[in-house]
Amino acid sequence: MGTIQKELGITYPIFQAGMAGGITTPELVAAVSNFGAFGQIGAGYLTAEELRDAIREVKKRTNKPFGVNLFVPEPTQDVNKSDIEMMNEQLLQISPTIQPVTDPSGDKHNEEYVKQIEVVVEEGVTACSFTFGSPQLDVIHCLKIEGIKVIGTATTVEEGMMLEESGVHYIVAQGSEAGGHRGTFIATKGDALIGTIALVPQMADHLHIPVIAAGGIADKRGIEAAYILGAEGVQLGSVFLPCNESGANPTYKKTLIAKNESDTALTKAFSGKWARGIQNEFMEKMKEVSVLPYPLQNTLTKALRAKAAKDQNPEKMSLWAGQALRLVTDECSVAEVLTKLTT
Amino acid sequence: MGTIQKELGITYPIFQAGMAGGITTPELVAAVSNFGAFGQIGAGYLTAEELRDAIREVKKRTNKPFGVNLFVPEPTQDVNKSDIEMMNEQLLQISPTIQPVTDPSGDKHNEEYVKQIEVVVEEGVTACSFTFGSPQLDVIHCLKIEGIKVIGTATTVEEGMMLEESGVHYIVAQGSEAGGHRGTFIATKGDALIGTIALVPQMADHLHIPVIAAGGIADKRGIEAAYILGAEGVQLGSVFLPCNESGANPTYKKTLIAKNESDTALTKAFSGKWARGIQNEFMEKMKEVSVLPYPLQNTLTKALRAKAAKDQNPEKMSLWAGQALRLVTDECSVAEVLTKLTT
């Protein structure tokens, strides 16, 4: 039994990615953990109190270990009111009936983050994973004192080494294949879009803590390849999206199952940060538009995305997905997905 | 013993990528083949007669099987004289003493291609691999009649299926990690930059012929992972570049050894086609410039690249490299590299 299994008390070192935005229902997280893998609440966009509720709901459904995934906040960038107006006009051209957000100052992500950490400590979870940066040293310290394992996300070896230095227990090596947001937080000379097969061995060579491979893994072949490359665990997202227990909306599920490996692309259009999703009209139309910084862009596109979800219109939703899409083939239960991955 | 080894008469299904531009010296190709792997002459930019000489030089050094890699030509695109002048001005700003090519019509790649195929047939090699498209059916037919194995390059499952349909024997599945030119030839909705860990199993599931994994593989872990993912062979490029036998210039070798996984990026600046290389000043300066189509851009930048090579200036050379750069660590012999890869 590997370090990760022992330390987290799980049977399989398979992590369900902390997909934010209502995907990781208590049912999904609990089903993953009940199987013996590691479920995670994607709490990036949750308020502290929503996170508390989510943790309690998961606990009602499992007594197995599970985790929470948080976004490390960034210093808010000042944006001109006129830039906000321009973006709102742009969005109204694409979705004419939405109500634009004229004062996005209500989005207090930085303050909420401190409270999220408090909730994680108060409610007690087995591990807390982070993306978009290195958690502050006092945050790591505070989680460690409570016996909570801390997981960082790195897209380059340099980021991995910085996270290790800061004291995290494991590193998710996020390959370029991964769906959803890029965890990149240190600027590189090149493109920081390192494929998993290249990233994992280089990360494993330069780190002393366990590496969890993420990106493009969606079946047993990918999992076994990751172990050979030097990973001690794997993290999967897309395969869980069409599950009965997932909160992904039906149009999103249907689109995922229908699309192929070459249908995804990177975009900043939805949130202001690079993320991989199924290419659609919104991404296409926003290609030439200069997007506002995260999290402002995310706040401004919220209404458009909500409307698209309500209309079941995949052309204006954020359809985060990784590149192993042909391996994501049907709607079934989490237990069926995990059975295939482990036997 | 696998299909590839049996059919090609080799010990290891390890292909040395057909790196064009003087890299694949007869010494390099012969050393790879003499070890029991598969050497390939990167003949994309060679005239038919240069290719004939190269094949004969390799044969002097080995009686083992080896191959030739060719570029499938594309219909020439008409370009305004003024666009050529603008590009030349741009290049002169970056490299003021070069002699611009004002009449690029001397570059008769399409005519040369037919003669290259004739030379391949006349001289006889074990396999002929292609990139940038599907070789014409009569070309495939003509090679097959001579008992020459035909290898196609695909970056998506769709491209792989088209190549299989056209009758090639094996498919190189080129992941986004790969150094040098992208083989992409069918437009996709998304970005067609599929990482190897995602591309190989999806390709293997949908093809009936052997898949050769390429991109981000530079040690034994990568090779074994590729087999688990469903590949029957692997293709490596970057690891051979710093070899004593390689024709890469000393500055290129030194830069490769010094750089890391996040130092590469994709650029069209050198040739008009997307290719992955170590990020440098030229790539940076050309980012905002609208580049001319391949092969015209390649013809126009030739003088600039030659000058940079002569000056040993890595900031203006095309430093093609894949993403496993931390695994490329020293100058040594091909036999030493292959020993590490196979034991």
Side-chain angles (χ1 to χ4, degrees):
Chain A
M1 190 185 262
T3 308
I4 291 177
Q5 290 101 301
K6 255 187 261 169
E7 291 187 349
L8 296 185
I10 54 179
T11 311
Y12 308 104
I14 299 175
F15 293 73
Q16 162 248 310
M19 299 165 282
I23 306 295
T24 60
T25 62
E27 289 77 13
L28 176 71
V29 177
V32 172
S33 289
N34 279 330
F35 191 89
F38 198 74
Q40 296 192 91
I41 299 169
Y45 299 127
L46 299 185
T47 65
E49 287 315 305
E50 286 168 344
L51 173 56
R52 192 188 302 280
D53 289 347
I55 293 173
R56 291 182 178 177
E57 288 301 319
V58 175
K59 283 187 178 167
K60 281 186 198 161
R61 291 165 176 81
T62 185
N63 52 14
K64 297 284 185 71
F66 67 95
V68 166
N69 179 259
L70 296 178
F71 295 165
V72 177
E74 294 174 34
T76 315
Q77 294 178 48
D78 279 334
V79 176
N80 289 335
K81 234 186 138 176
S82 66
D83 288 340
I84 295 177
E85 279 165 19
M86 268 173 60
M87 180 51 64
N88 276 329
E89 273 171 41
Q90 189 68 45
L91 298 174
L92 275 167
Q93 274 179 30
I94 297 173
S95 189
T97 62
I98 53 168
Q99 182 66 37
V101 178
T102 47
D103 176 19
S105 64
D107 208 323
K108 301 197 187 309
H109 186 60
N110 290 14
E111 296 163 38
E112 211 57 46
Y113 173 70
V114 177
K115 295 186 204 155
Q116 286 175 327
I117 300 288
E118 284 168 14
V119 166
V120 166
V121 169
E122 284 164 19
E123 297 295 321
V125 295
T126 304
C128 188
S129 63
F130 293 87
T131 189
F132 298 158
S134 184
Q136 299 70 2
L137 295 181
D138 59 336
V139 167
I140 296 176
H141 183 69
C142 155
L143 292 168
K144 281 176 130 174
I145 284 181
E146 300 294 326
I148 298 170
K149 294 288 170 194
V150 183
I151 307 174
T153 304
T155 63
T156 63
V157 175
E158 192 189 355
E159 288 176 351
M161 295 195 313
M162 182 176 161
L163 286 163
E164 176 173 289
E165 181 75 17
S166 75
V168 308
H169 296 93
Y170 318 133
I171 306 275
V172 173
Q174 187 193 33
S176 58
E177 299 90 343
H181 281 97
R182 303 293 307 148
T184 305
F185 61 95
I186 300 181
T188 57
K189 281 211 167 169
D191 59 16
L193 291 165
I194 326 296
T196 299
I197 205 168
L199 184 60
V200 170
Q202 296 180 88
M203 200 82 96
D205 285 348
H206 288 85
L207 300 183
H208 307 90
I209 56 177
V211 171
I212 299 163
I217 303 172
D219 69 7
K220 223 187 153 175
R221 292 171 291 185
I223 293 176
E224 289 184 356
Y227 295 152
I228 284 181
L229 293 169
E232 296 183 41
V234 292
Q235 181 166 290
L236 287 73
S238 304
V239 284
F240 295 111
L241 285 167
C243 284
N244 307 325
E245 296 92 336
S246 122
N249 104 10
T251 307
Y252 186 6
K253 289 185 181 184
K254 236 185 287 174
T255 312
L256 273 165
I257 292 167
K259 294 292 179 172
N260 292 332
E261 83 291 349
S262 60
D263 291 318
T264 77
L266 290 164
T267 184
K268 276 183 152 181
F270 287 107
S271 70
K273 260 190 197 289
W274 288 111
R276 182 177 296 286
I278 294 167
Q279 177 75 20
N280 62 9
E281 259 177 55
F282 181 73
M283 283 161 64
E284 197 56 44
K285 281 185 179 160
M286 295 290 284
K287 255 186 185 167
E288 305 303 319
V289 177
S290 135
V291 158
L292 301 181
Y294 171 88
L296 184 57
Q297 182 71 16
N298 190 66
T299 306
L300 295 188
T301 64
K302 227 176 245 178
L304 179 141
R305 287 179 282 127
K307 167 104 174 68
K310 207 181 136 200
D311 295 348
Q312 301 287 352
N313 179 0
E315 296 302 332
K316 296 176 190 172
M317 295 164 58
S318 56
L319 303 166
W320 304 142
Q323 292 183 325
L325 272 185
R326 284 184 198 258
L327 308 178
V328 176
T329 50
D330 45 8
E331 235 172 303
C332 61
S333 70
V334 163
E336 284 171 281
V337 166
L338 283 167
T339 301
K340 270 197 232 165
L341 294 176
T342 54
T343 50
Chain B
M1 191 185 264
T3 309
I4 291 178
Q5 290 102 302
K6 255 187 259 168
E7 291 186 350
L8 296 185
I10 55 179
T11 312
Y12 309 103
I14 299 175
F15 293 74
Q16 162 248 309
M19 299 165 282
I23 307 294
T24 60
T25 62
E27 290 76 13
L28 176 71
V29 177
V32 172
S33 289
N34 279 330
F35 191 89
F38 198 75
Q40 294 193 92
I41 299 168
Y45 299 128
L46 299 184
T47 64
E49 287 316 304
E50 287 167 343
L51 173 55
R52 191 188 303 278
D53 291 344
I55 293 173
R56 291 183 178 176
E57 288 301 318
V58 175
K59 283 187 178 166
K60 282 185 198 164
R61 291 166 176 80
T62 186
N63 52 15
K64 296 286 184 69
F66 68 94
V68 165
N69 179 258
L70 296 177
F71 295 165
V72 177
E74 292 173 36
T76 314
Q77 293 179 49
D78 279 334
V79 176
N80 289 335
K81 235 187 139 177
S82 66
D83 287 339
I84 295 178
E85 279 165 19
M86 265 173 62
M87 180 51 66
N88 276 329
E89 272 171 42
Q90 189 67 47
L91 297 175
L92 275 168
Q93 274 177 30
I94 297 174
S95 188
T97 63
I98 53 168
Q99 182 66 37
V101 178
T102 47
D103 177 19
S105 64
D107 208 323
K108 301 195 187 311
H109 186 62
N110 289 15
E111 296 163 38
E112 210 58 45
Y113 173 71
V114 178
K115 295 185 204 157
Q116 286 175 327
I117 301 288
E118 283 168 15
V119 166
V120 166
V121 169
E122 284 163 19
E123 298 296 320
V125 295
T126 304
C128 189
S129 62
F130 293 87
T131 188
F132 298 159
S134 184
Q136 300 70 2
L137 294 181
D138 59 337
V139 166
I140 296 176
H141 183 69
C142 155
L143 293 168
K144 281 175 131 176
I145 284 181
E146 300 294 326
I148 297 170
K149 294 287 169 196
V150 183
I151 307 174
T153 304
T155 62
T156 63
V157 175
E158 192 189 356
E159 288 177 351
M161 294 195 311
M162 181 173 163
L163 286 164
E164 176 173 290
E165 181 75 16
S166 75
V168 308
H169 296 93
Y170 319 132
I171 305 274
V172 173
Q174 187 192 32
S176 58
E177 299 91 343
H181 281 96
R182 303 292 309 149
T184 305
F185 60 94
I186 300 179
T188 56
K189 283 211 167 167
D191 59 17
L193 291 165
I194 324 297
T196 299
I197 206 168
L199 183 61
V200 170
Q202 296 180 87
M203 200 82 98
D205 284 347
H206 288 84
L207 300 182
H208 307 91
I209 56 177
V211 170
I212 299 163
I217 302 172
D219 69 8
K220 225 187 154 179
R221 291 170 292 184
I223 293 177
E224 289 183 358
Y227 296 151
I228 284 181
L229 293 169
E232 296 184 42
V234 292
Q235 181 165 291
L236 286 73
S238 304
V239 285
F240 294 111
L241 285 167
C243 284
N244 308 325
E245 295 93 337
S246 122
N249 105 12
T251 306
Y252 186 4
K253 289 186 181 184
K254 236 185 287 174
T255 312
L256 274 164
I257 292 168
K259 294 291 179 174
N260 292 333
E261 83 291 348
S262 60
D263 290 319
T264 77
L266 291 163
T267 184
K268 276 182 152 180
F270 288 106
S271 70
K273 258 190 197 290
W274 288 112
R276 181 177 296 285
I278 294 166
Q279 178 75 21
N280 61 10
E281 258 177 57
F282 181 72
M283 284 160 66
E284 197 57 43
K285 281 184 179 160
M286 295 290 284
K287 255 186 184 166
E288 305 304 318
V289 177
S290 135
V291 158
L292 300 181
Y294 171 90
L296 183 57
Q297 182 71 16
N298 190 66
T299 306
L300 295 188
T301 63
K302 227 176 243 176
L304 179 141
R305 286 178 283 127
K307 167 102 173 70
K310 207 182 136 199
D311 296 348
Q312 302 287 351
N313 179 0
E315 295 302 331
K316 296 176 189 171
M317 296 165 58
S318 56
L319 303 166
W320 303 142
Q323 291 182 326
L325 273 186
R326 285 183 198 258
L327 308 178
V328 176
T329 50
D330 44 6
E331 237 173 302
C332 62
S333 70
V334 163
E336 285 172 281
V337 166
L338 284 167
T339 301
K340 270 197 232 167
L341 293 176
T342 55
T343 49

